[in-house]
Amino acid sequence: MSTALYTHADCHAHDMGHGHPECPQRLDAIHDHLIACGLDVALEHRDAPLVDLRDVELAHSAHYVSELKDRLEQLALTGESRAFDPDTAANAGTWAATQRAAGAAVAATDAVIDGEIDNAFCAVRPPGHHATRDETMGFCFFNNVAIAARHALDVRGLKRVAIVDFDVHHGNGTEDIVAGDDRILMVSFFQHPLYPYSGGVPKGENMINLPIPPYTRGMEIRDMIEAMWMPRLEAFQPQMVFISAGFDAHREDDLGQLGLVEADYEWITRRVKDVADRHAQGRIVSCLEGGYALSALSRSVATHLRVLADL
């Protein structure tokens, strides 16, 4: 058994323009660092397939999926770029990348449930946790983790799954999709106030939101996780755990003002893995969200993967 790394060259082709923090170089930095630190050889490498749009419609409305498909396929044909909002743009490669990112999450879910691998990390882009049921935003088009979680429940027949979202920004899109679904427990922390300026009041009783003031350091966040996340996760006893893994709460990342370091991501991953080992047969699928300081991102991903792979 093993830890799988899902990615695809198509995820590099999505480009929102010069100077945009959510850039193809993020995946290059992760790839290069995993080779440099020797972790690359310990992982099972798998290509991300294209997602089945029926799976996407488990989390997004059919109208949204159809309209986004039409708009992105048109860009793929013309080679043009288009801004969807002040933060989010698409180019000719976005449609393929979006399908691969969601496809990685679903394929990893199937592989973990089928016992082919112990757990998986999806090094994909675009990220997903700001994409709501009906709207692109915050660099996101399809909500990869929400799609995978609903696939585990609605297609694979699990009864309870948890979503753990650690990112400097609130996963408002995931909350929009899963709030009120008692089969899903979502726990998250995020800097507040900060884009998208939400999350202070959870939308459902299945949400544990931890709004964190700017300049909070890792030990304080660990204490809040221990007090607020862990009792609910233990009581919920998820059959599978999904992670929206954002590394932009790192103290070197300029998109936020939180103070985490690699040791904090190691601790968080270990606590989540403890829950999965006790209640979910170790089943975890983690998907890359934020993280824009390339060195800090690559080091943090490697730390996250070492815990998942028991190295």
Side-chain angles (χ1 to χ4, degrees):
M1 302 290 277
S2 60
T3 294
L5 178 71
Y6 282 81
T7 191
H8 197 279
D10 285 349
C11 292
H12 289 75
H14 167 59
D15 193 338
M16 292 191 281
H18 178 72
H20 198 290
E22 206 295 282
C23 59
Q25 290 74 28
R26 298 176 69 224
L27 297 186
D28 295 332
I30 292 169
H31 175 264
D32 292 348
H33 184 72
L34 293 180
I35 293 174
C37 71
L39 189 54
D40 180 71
V41 296
L43 306 171
E44 181 176 326
H45 294 261
R46 295 191 172 198
D47 277 344
L50 297 171
V51 73
D52 186 329
L53 294 183
R54 291 172 296 183
D55 281 317
V56 178
E57 290 176 6
L58 299 174
H60 296 283
S61 69
H63 174 75
Y64 171 76
V65 174
S66 175
E67 182 178 14
L68 184 64
K69 176 178 181 287
D70 289 346
R71 294 167 77 181
L72 294 182
E73 283 186 334
Q74 184 65 27
L75 297 181
L77 287 172
T78 63
E80 297 173 346
S81 297
R82 174 176 181 174
F84 282 68
D85 61 48
D87 302 306
T88 312
N91 73 333
T94 300
W95 178 233
T98 298
Q99 293 179 87
R100 298 288 183 188
V106 173
T109 299
D110 283 334
V112 169
I113 291 175
D114 290 339
E116 297 175 13
I117 53 177
D118 292 321
N119 52 52
F121 178 72
C122 300
V124 293
R125 50 182 300 279
H129 76 155
H130 293 308
T132 70
R133 179 169 172 78
D134 296 299
E135 186 179 12
T136 63
M137 65 180 294
F139 315 162
C140 304
F141 297 86
F142 286 161
N143 195 308
N144 307 317
V145 162
I147 292 165
R150 283 279 173 77
H151 177 84
L153 294 164
D154 296 340
V155 178
R156 298 307 305 264
L158 299 190
K159 303 300 183 185
R160 298 178 310 282
V161 303
I163 296 175
V164 175
D165 187 309
F166 56 81
D167 192 281
V168 82
H169 303 100
H170 174 230
N172 64 299
T174 310
E175 182 175 69
D176 176 71
I177 292 166
V178 309
D181 188 337
D182 292 337
R183 303 171 301 168
I184 301 174
L185 174 67
M186 180 178 175
V187 301
S188 68
F189 73 76
F190 46 90
Q191 182 178 323
H192 187 75
L194 188 68
Y195 179 91
Y197 307 102
S198 59
V201 178
K203 287 187 174 183
E205 294 183 0
N206 62 325
M207 300 282 153
I208 306 297
N209 294 2
L210 300 183
I212 306 293
Y215 307 108
T216 303
R217 296 195 174 187
M219 290 307 298
E220 297 170 81
I221 294 173
R222 294 190 201 190
D223 289 343
M224 286 184 270
I225 287 172
E226 201 65 56
M228 303 298 294
W229 285 10
M230 300 311 297
R232 284 293 300 271
L233 286 167
E234 291 289 350
F236 188 68
Q237 298 185 11
Q239 295 173 306
M240 190 163 185
V241 178
F242 295 88
I243 301 177
S244 279
F247 299 98
D248 43 6
H250 197 285
R251 68 183 180 187
E252 296 177 18
D253 200 303
D254 291 337
L255 263 67
Q257 293 86 37
L258 293 184
L260 272 66
V261 295
E262 292 92 309
D264 299 310
Y265 290 117
E266 177 183 9
W267 183 90
I268 294 167
T269 308
R270 197 170 302 283
R271 293 300 284 127
V272 173
K273 192 171 185 298
D274 288 345
V275 172
D277 288 343
R278 277 192 293 277
H279 302 297
Q281 303 173 46
R283 298 189 291 206
I284 296 174
V285 170
S286 178
C287 295
L288 179 64
E289 298 286 359
Y292 308 102
L294 298 186
S295 177
L297 168 65
S298 61
R299 300 191 319 263
S300 299
V301 169
T303 297
H304 183 59
L305 278 165
R306 284 192 187 95
V307 178
L308 292 181
D310 287 324
L311 297 174

